[in-house]
Amino acid sequence: MMSKSPELSMSGEASEMKEAFTDFVGQTLFGSMLSSMRKTVGKPAYMHGGRTEEVFQQQLDQHIVEDLTKSSASSLADPMFELFNLQRRS
């Protein structure tokens, strides 16, 4: 069996860490932001779906957070990851 070279395993590890930073930023920042935004909007007087609507709204919010994470979390996560790598190397 062939073993992986150290460079490949480090780049794979760095890739996983970078993805973890991106997921963290997306879930934390965008999830909190969307949750706070939902709290500012009251329930409508008519046509409110009750608990069922709340459950499906949470699922929709989760999909929105995932899409936001894929599209723009790297702009915040990449600098964080670079700083983390600099501290780790020294």
Side-chain angles (χ1 to χ4, degrees):
M1 280 190 127
M2 298 176 66
S3 63
K4 292 183 179 179
S5 68
E7 293 93 19
L8 288 177
S9 65
M10 287 301 283
S11 69
E13 180 182 326
S15 175
E16 286 180 22
M17 269 187 161
K18 191 172 186 177
E19 186 177 329
F21 267 83
T22 303
D23 288 343
F24 173 76
V25 167
Q27 296 297 322
T28 304
L29 175 70
F30 298 133
S32 298
M33 179 182 66
L34 197 56
S35 175
S36 296
M37 288 172 56
R38 292 274 181 220
K39 289 178 184 176
T40 63
V41 179
K43 296 178 183 176
Y46 304 104
M47 305 298 279
H48 184 262
R51 180 69 183 140
T52 305
E53 182 177 336
E54 292 170 7
V55 168
F56 284 114
Q57 188 68 56
Q58 290 173 355
Q59 290 178 350
L60 176 63
D61 289 352
Q62 183 64 32
H63 284 286
I64 291 171
V65 166
E66 289 171 5
D67 288 343
L68 284 169
T69 299
K70 288 177 187 174
S71 66
S72 61
S74 62
S75 64
L76 296 170
D78 288 349
M80 287 174 56
F81 179 71
E82 292 301 323
L83 287 172
F84 176 77
N85 269 342
L86 288 174
Q87 288 178 346
R88 205 170 120 188
R89 289 181 193 155
S90 57

